[in-house]
Amino acid sequence: MSQDFSHQEPLLRVEGLTKYYGSRLGCAHVDFDLWPGEVLAIVGESGSGKTTLLNSLSATLEPTSGKTMYRMRDGQWRNIYELSEAERRFLVRTDWGFVHQNPADGLRMTVSAGANVGERLMAVGDRNYAHIRDTALDWLGRVEIAADRIDDQPRSFSGGMRQRLQIARNLVTGPRLVFMDEPTGGLDVSVQARLLDLLRGLVGELGLAAIVVTHDLAVARLLSHRMMVMKDGYVIEAGLTDRVLDDPREPYTQLLVSSILQV
Amino acid sequence: MTTTAQYNFAYLDEQTKRMIRRAILKAIAIPGYQVPFSSREMPMPYGWGTGGVQVTASIIGPNDVLKVIDQGADDTTNAVSIRAFFAKVARVATTTHTSDATIIQTRHRIPEKPLGQGQILVYQVPIPEPLRFLEPRETETRKMHALEEYGLMHVKLYEDIARHGRIATTYAYPVKVEGRYVMDPSPTPKFDNPKMHMSAALQLFGAGREHRIYAVPPYTEVVSLDFEDHPFTIQHFEDPCALCGAEQVYLDEVILDDRGGHMYVCSDTDNCEERRAAGHVGTLGMQEAAE
Amino acid sequence: MYVAVKGGEAAIANAHALLADRRRGDRSVPALRLDQIVEQLGLAVDRAMGEGSLYDKELAALALLQARGDLIEAIFLVRAYRTTLPRFGYSNPIDTGSMLIERRISATFKDLPGGQLLGPTFDYTHRLLDPAIAGGEVPAPITREADVEQAPRVTDMLGRQGLMEPDGDTDPDREVGDLTREPLDFPLDRDLRLQALARGDEGFLLALGYSTQRGYGRSHPFVGEIRIGEVEVEFDVPELGFAVSLGRVRVTECQMVNQFKGSAKVPPQFTRGYGLVFGQAERKAMAMSLVDRALRAREFGEDVVAPAQDEEFVISHSDNVQATGFVEHLKLPHYVDFQAELDLIRRMRAEHDAADMKEAAE
């Protein structure tokens, strides 16, 4: 899945990102650039700091030091930790998406699937019911949810359907960057494969940039162009996904690949 | 007894009145914004109009003429009780005629007759927060107002249409004031919402138990939330008032017997009486004349 | 001619006359005097003063009589009177350490300086109805001179050994809030929270405190100390330059000692839950201290998972004057709103029936 992004300007620039919880290290000295349309996987075992990094990158957590510069739609570079709360919330509901491992964290479980997808449209000022509903129907179709489920609440959906609904809810406003935290984590293996297929199709088709946290190297292999391996809060190896998986340099990465990767 | 109770003009002490007036001025300066104020215990229970009574007590002067309505009527028990309270503690003149009143305190209705400049309409508000039933937390709803995050409000209206084919909110229908704050108009029927828009009168809202005052200054834009293709509409009654024949007014249904017999009469009793005095007659009046 | 059936001034006046009659009851039975209520229904008077937040036994007794013994109604009467009183200023903090103690117990130490004093307690009485109480003479209690020995607070003794967290780290120059003068703004500081709890409904706080014991926000409490007695109230008079005594009030104080493991910054130590109520109100003071400690969860980095730990939930619903008003307002007429709902449901039912007919016809 290698692709050359270098002729473009990056979308995200991360410099020296460090997060401590009291005296305990979350993640330290993370630097990387992310280009439009590029998918970056962050892999590591639990406790390696990958979720801390994701939450810092998405401004859910405030880092102890370091910067995350984001190129806004108007071309301006802004450090996301210096945005006002109003600007940050606007960014989060328009230009960004966040796919949680547990869909219940990202969905409104007591409103219909249609309203779940339509909420972001209404939040940015869409006031045409028919248009909102048609857009919701279109997106339900794209994530393979039957049109006649549009008025059902996600409570009545299976795990896989909920996760697909969460993805539709995030993508409806055409974000440029999506954060995903173990997007296939809670699902059966057969359901996982279908979801990965769907995600890969959507990411490619929409030219989305994405940062995917996963402990599953198969997910990284299928979705990402580039990957970073984390251990004890540090990035110990980074590179094109195929290169890292086929020719791991660090002993820890070699261990991960040999013990887990069966794809 | 250690003390004989002595009360100030209009019950509240002057310090309290000044504090409430400051809140009212702030509310007028920021139309639709809920101003916190230090609500006092009043000699009537919370939920029975303590917010409206505190607002009225703070603005009323000896020369004011007060009208109090509940459900549109001057003679409902709670309206009678509040009117009697002010007649006693402020010795002001009271009236049932909308056009004679300088201050009208109301629960659940706006008078049918358009209000004029110099009149003040004081609403009793039970739950001032229009987002409350979508988000129970004050800390969160405050942030939503500050950041103008009102998408959730439309999610509710969307759900109504998806489920019922129409917006199923019939009272306490949310409005946007001067293009900025989403506001709860208090539990008036949505029939009354258009009367708030560009009204010549000052509209003050008091929520005693919830410690909030808000306002719509005269000639302010008040727009009911809706969708372009499901526009806001008001209730429409098939029959005119059985007593005065009025149309385009809000009607109460009165049950006549236990076989489903019923009739509709004006909710605004003052408007109905004035029309009858002017010679308007409804179907019931005609029957009577024929008998 | 049809006349809408609505209550008028006459109906209200008649209802109030009937209320006055029922309040007086059978005229052949002597009317209660306020001093009888103050002397013989003292704990009810204390509760009306505590939740009414006004220390005046006669007014509380009057409120109880006027409310026909309905406590919440009496509290309401006291509050509605209190709110109209002019405010001259704020007294100095009372010193419960120099209380004239009538009851003082600790569950954490068997014996301690100042000793354990049972005082006038229901504890260890057998709850057997005693017909002799009605109208019977009661022998005078055995009394002795008060000990000169001071009774230091248990929490102070633990504090001197560093085993107890300090008693708040609020800036001494900071003005204490006043929830009767300023609107509540969540999240609250502890001063306002304690004020709200002190006048909160005893039943509500009791249930919440109980819920923490049953696992909904557990805090491993011990009664460090309960003390009941009179304290001096002093008022700084700027013109005089010193404090003058305004008199004495009777209060109940409960200090709950709770477990806490410590954190990176703080070594392991006990934490406090605090309760202080007018009069003799031990159950209320204990419940208050349990809820106070539960509400400090966030301060100690504990997970907020239980209702008793949720400040907005607890404080927004603890005031019984607010609660009773809003619950009871449901009996006010709502027919304008109900009319709107009635109209909508009729339309929706008509559409539903029409759709069924159409389906059947197809």
Side-chain angles (χ1 to χ4, degrees):
Chain A
M1 262 187 100
S2 63
Q3 221 171 308
D4 184 21
F5 296 101
S6 53
H7 59 279
Q8 286 175 294
E9 210 185 346
L11 187 63
L12 195 74
R13 275 205 164 118
V14 181
E15 296 166 25
L17 202 65
T18 301
K19 172 71 187 172
Y20 278 94
Y21 299 96
S23 58
R24 192 166 57 78
L25 177 67
C27 64
H29 309 299
V30 178
D31 301 280
F32 68 89
D33 290 350
L34 185 76
W35 275 266
E38 186 187 27
V39 179
L40 171 73
I42 304 171
V43 302
E45 297 170 285
S46 60
S48 62
K50 58 189 195 301
T51 299
T52 296
L53 177 59
L54 187 77
N55 288 336
S56 301
L57 292 172
S58 59
T60 316
L61 273 181
E62 177 133 15
T64 313
S65 61
K67 284 198 287 194
T68 297
M69 305 297 293
Y70 182 70
R71 184 160 55 82
M72 310 291 274
R73 287 200 187 208
D74 61 6
Q76 295 235 18
W77 283 95
R78 301 286 301 274
N79 182 356
I80 60 167
Y81 310 116
E82 287 169 6
L83 295 176
S84 70
E85 175 140 29
E87 290 175 311
R88 192 180 60 74
R89 283 197 176 203
F90 187 75
L91 193 67
V92 164
R93 65 174 189 249
T94 54
D95 215 20
W96 287 5
F98 200 113
V99 176
H100 297 264
Q101 173 172 4
N102 178 2
D105 294 339
L107 292 172
R108 289 192 192 280
M109 297 303 281
T110 54
V111 310
S112 68
N116 262 291
V117 179
E119 180 173 352
R120 279 170 71 121
L121 295 173
M122 293 182 255
V124 295
D126 195 329
R127 293 291 176 263
N128 188 297
Y129 176 81
H131 177 252
I132 293 163
R133 198 165 171 85
D134 289 346
T135 311
L137 272 174
D138 176 47
W139 269 101
L140 291 182
R142 289 166 88 162
V143 297
E144 299 167 17
I145 294 174
D148 63 0
R149 303 302 300 272
I150 186 168
D151 293 329
D152 293 344
Q153 294 180 0
R155 285 191 296 194
S156 66
F157 286 7
S158 68
M161 277 172 82
R162 289 180 186 185
Q163 197 56 294
R164 281 179 276 134
L165 180 64
Q166 192 191 183
I167 290 163
R169 173 179 163 89
N170 273 284
L171 299 189
V172 67
T173 49
R176 294 189 298 162
L177 173 59
V178 177
F179 301 95
M180 301 187 206
D181 185 10
E182 305 276 7
T184 59
L187 304 174
D188 295 342
V189 178
S190 60
V191 180
Q192 277 186 21
R194 185 176 164 201
L195 186 75
L196 279 175
D197 232 30
L198 182 84
L199 265 179
R200 184 154 74 154
L202 287 172
V203 165
E205 186 186 322
L206 301 167
L208 281 176
I211 298 176
V212 185
V213 155
T214 180
H215 67 279
D216 186 345
L217 294 185
V219 170
R221 164 84 88 186
L222 270 167
L223 283 183
S224 70
H225 305 108
R226 215 148 45 97
M227 60 187 281
M228 300 197 309
V229 181
M230 293 194 71
K231 185 172 185 295
D232 302 329
Y234 292 88
V235 175
I236 56 160
E237 182 161 4
L240 294 175
T241 302
D242 291 345
R243 201 280 296 154
V244 174
L245 292 181
D246 296 341
D247 179 21
R249 290 176 194 165
E250 288 294 317
Y252 176 75
T253 315
Q254 290 165 3
L255 195 72
L256 271 186
V257 170
S258 64
S259 63
I260 303 168
L261 193 68
Q262 301 295 333
V263 178
Chain B
M1 263 315 296
T2 44
T3 21
T4 350
Q6 287 286 334
Y7 295 105
N8 191 25
F9 175 80
Y11 179 77
L12 291 174
D13 58 284
E14 293 302 314
Q15 270 178 317
T16 298
K17 286 186 196 171
R18 279 197 288 275
M19 176 273 294
I20 293 174
R21 285 181 204 137
R22 280 195 292 273
I24 292 173
L25 288 174
K26 183 168 179 182
I28 293 170
I30 317 170
Y33 171 73
Q34 301 167 49
V35 181
F37 80 111
S38 177
S39 179
R40 302 290 196 250
E41 282 90 355
M42 296 301 284
M44 55 277 294
Y46 285 110
W48 298 52
T50 54
V53 170
Q54 287 180 76
V55 168
T56 300
S58 304
I59 59 171
I60 203 164
N63 300 325
D64 273 307
V65 179
L66 177 70
K67 171 182 163 83
V68 183
I69 53 172
D70 187 343
Q71 315 292 304
D74 297 274
D75 59 352
T76 33
T77 43
N78 204 43
V80 168
S81 160
I82 291 172
R83 194 166 54 238
F85 174 72
F86 280 110
K88 185 172 168 188
V89 299
R91 280 177 237 95
V92 292
T94 60
T95 182
T96 59
H97 297 301
T98 300
S99 38
D100 294 345
T102 55
I103 299 172
I104 302 172
Q105 179 166 331
T106 179
R107 177 169 172 262
H108 293 198
R109 276 308 311 277
I110 299 175
E112 303 291 0
K113 190 179 285 178
L115 300 179
Q117 285 189 1
Q119 287 188 301
I120 301 176
L121 186 59
V122 178
Y123 295 76
Q124 300 172 202
V125 182
I127 306 267
E129 179 49 72
L131 301 164
R132 180 59 68 240
F133 297 108
L134 304 168
E135 170 54 60
R137 256 165 221 294
E138 182 66 27
T139 35
E140 185 60 25
T141 52
R142 223 161 46 196
K143 202 173 279 176
M144 290 162 83
H145 283 293
L147 302 177
E148 231 179 317
E149 273 189 22
Y150 292 132
L152 199 53
M153 203 81 234
H154 270 88
V155 168
K156 190 202 170 276
L157 301 181
Y158 170 97
E159 288 286 87
D160 271 2
I161 301 173
R163 203 170 307 145
H164 307 299
R166 60 160 61 79
I167 296 173
T169 304
T170 57
Y171 61 93
Y173 191 105
V175 294
K176 196 164 205 178
V177 181
E178 207 62 16
R180 177 58 180 84
Y181 284 97
V182 167
M183 184 187 94
D184 183 306
S186 87
T188 49
K190 65 177 181 174
F191 181 88
D192 287 337
N193 275 22
K195 295 176 187 158
M196 308 178 76
H197 179 61
M198 289 295 164
S199 170
L202 169 63
Q203 303 175 70
L204 300 176
F205 299 78
R209 195 178 38 77
E210 299 277 341
H211 305 207
R212 294 290 182 278
I213 285 173
Y214 50 102
V216 175
Y219 304 109
T220 300
E221 198 178 84
V222 178
V223 180
S224 303
L225 300 184
D226 63 0
F227 288 103
E228 293 157 8
D229 46 347
H230 283 264
F232 171 79
T233 54
I234 60 172
Q235 288 103 334
H236 172 75
F237 293 88
E238 301 293 332
D239 303 314
C241 170
L243 298 177
C244 76
E247 294 179 46
Q248 318 296 328
V249 297
Y250 198 80
L251 301 175
D252 286 342
E253 181 174 342
V254 178
I255 295 173
L256 295 173
D257 52 46
D258 59 2
R259 299 180 303 278
H262 59 146
M263 65 171 202
Y264 290 94
V265 298
C266 278
S267 147
D268 184 338
T269 49
D270 172 58
N271 195 50
C272 194
E273 279 160 22
E274 281 189 13
R275 281 179 54 85
R276 276 181 284 155
H280 295 280
V281 187
T283 50
L284 200 80
M286 285 175 204
Q287 279 170 24
E288 231 167 50
E291 274 162 15
Chain C
M1 174 74 196
Y2 163 82
V3 180
V5 184
K6 287 171 177 171
E9 282 167 58
I12 292 179
N14 290 340
H16 291 173
L18 184 59
L19 171 68
D21 176 76
R22 292 289 192 272
R23 175 165 54 224
R24 178 59 185 85
D26 186 343
R27 305 296 199 276
S28 67
V29 176
L32 265 177
R33 292 196 319 267
L34 297 188
D35 57 351
Q36 290 176 316
I37 296 174
V38 169
E39 292 302 318
Q40 295 175 41
L41 293 173
L43 297 190
V45 169
D46 283 355
R47 186 169 169 196
M49 292 198 305
E51 291 170 36
S53 37
L54 180 70
Y55 196 91
D56 187 318
K57 290 188 178 186
E58 274 193 32
L59 282 180
L62 174 62
L64 278 167
L65 184 64
Q66 191 175 328
R68 306 178 67 191
D70 182 323
L71 271 165
I72 291 183
E73 186 66 30
I75 289 161
F76 185 6
L77 286 167
V78 172
R79 288 260 197 103
Y81 176 67
R82 173 199 198 273
T83 198
T84 65
L85 299 176
R87 191 69 56 101
F88 299 117
Y90 295 88
S91 72
N92 292 336
I94 56 171
D95 177 14
T96 54
S98 55
M99 177 188 279
L100 281 177
I101 291 170
E102 187 173 43
R103 170 168 166 79
R104 188 263 196 133
I105 54 160
S106 169
T108 48
F109 298 100
K110 185 164 191 282
D111 199 7
L112 64 169
Q116 307 248 18
L117 293 167
L118 282 183
T121 177
F122 291 119
D123 296 350
Y124 318 114
T125 62
H126 295 137
R127 267 66 170 198
L128 303 171
L129 282 172
D130 182 2
I133 294 271
E137 287 302 311
V138 177
I142 301 151
T143 55
R144 65 172 161 87
E145 285 298 301
D147 273 329
V148 275
E149 187 185 10
Q150 285 284 317
R153 282 179 295 228
V154 168
T155 45
D156 293 347
M157 296 190 272
L158 285 169
R160 271 193 284 282
Q161 299 169 52
L163 299 174
M164 172 61 103
E165 59 161 338
D167 196 1
D169 47 8
T170 324
D171 177 2
D173 293 331
R174 176 177 168 279
E175 221 169 279
V176 176
D178 180 348
L179 93 170
T180 68
R181 297 280 130 166
E182 296 296 325
L184 288 183
D185 184 9
F186 293 107
L188 303 175
D189 286 334
R190 192 157 170 234
D191 51 351
L192 287 172
R193 219 160 56 199
L194 287 169
Q195 285 173 28
L197 294 176
R199 60 199 235 142
D201 183 73
E202 177 172 315
F204 180 70
L205 296 182
L206 176 66
L208 281 175
Y210 177 45
S211 74
T212 68
Q213 291 180 282
R214 292 193 63 260
Y216 291 85
R218 227 171 142 214
S219 62
H220 305 274
F222 299 93
V223 169
E225 185 178 2
I226 293 170
R227 52 172 67 196
I228 304 175
E230 293 192 344
V231 291
E232 190 108 15
V233 180
E234 290 183 329
F235 186 77
D236 264 329
V237 183
E239 290 84 354
L240 297 179
F242 56 87
V244 294
S245 172
L246 299 178
R248 298 184 156 277
V249 295
R250 191 176 169 80
V251 295
T252 304
E253 180 185 60
C254 174
Q255 298 240 38
M256 210 59 92
V257 176
N258 302 270
Q259 216 176 56
F260 172 51
K261 287 193 171 58
S263 71
K265 284 186 218 145
V266 185
Q269 58 183 352
F270 290 115
T271 57
R272 294 166 191 264
Y274 189 72
L276 183 74
V277 193
F278 274 154
Q280 179 168 346
E282 193 164 292
R283 184 189 301 120
K284 166 76 181 280
M286 292 179 74
M288 174 176 169
S289 58
L290 287 173
V291 176
D292 171 49
R293 177 59 186 80
L295 288 175
R296 299 179 68 198
R298 214 182 299 272
E299 189 185 323
F300 295 122
E302 297 163 347
D303 291 335
V304 175
V305 289
Q309 297 168 316
D310 185 331
E311 177 183 274
E312 271 203 56
F313 177 80
V314 173
I315 304 297
S316 300
H317 302 114
S318 62
D319 191 294
N320 54 22
V321 178
Q322 291 178 1
T324 197
F326 202 49
V327 166
E328 292 195 51
H329 108 286
L330 291 174
K331 64 195 170 191
L332 286 179
H334 281 83
Y335 44 74
V336 163
D337 298 344
F338 187 69
Q339 184 65 56
E341 294 286 82
L342 206 55
D343 174 64
L344 180 68
I345 198 170
R346 280 195 183 123
R347 270 167 216 261
M348 289 187 342
R349 285 177 65 91
E351 277 167 27
H352 186 263
D353 290 350
D356 278 357
M357 298 257 289
K358 195 166 158 232
E359 224 164 74
E362 272 164 10

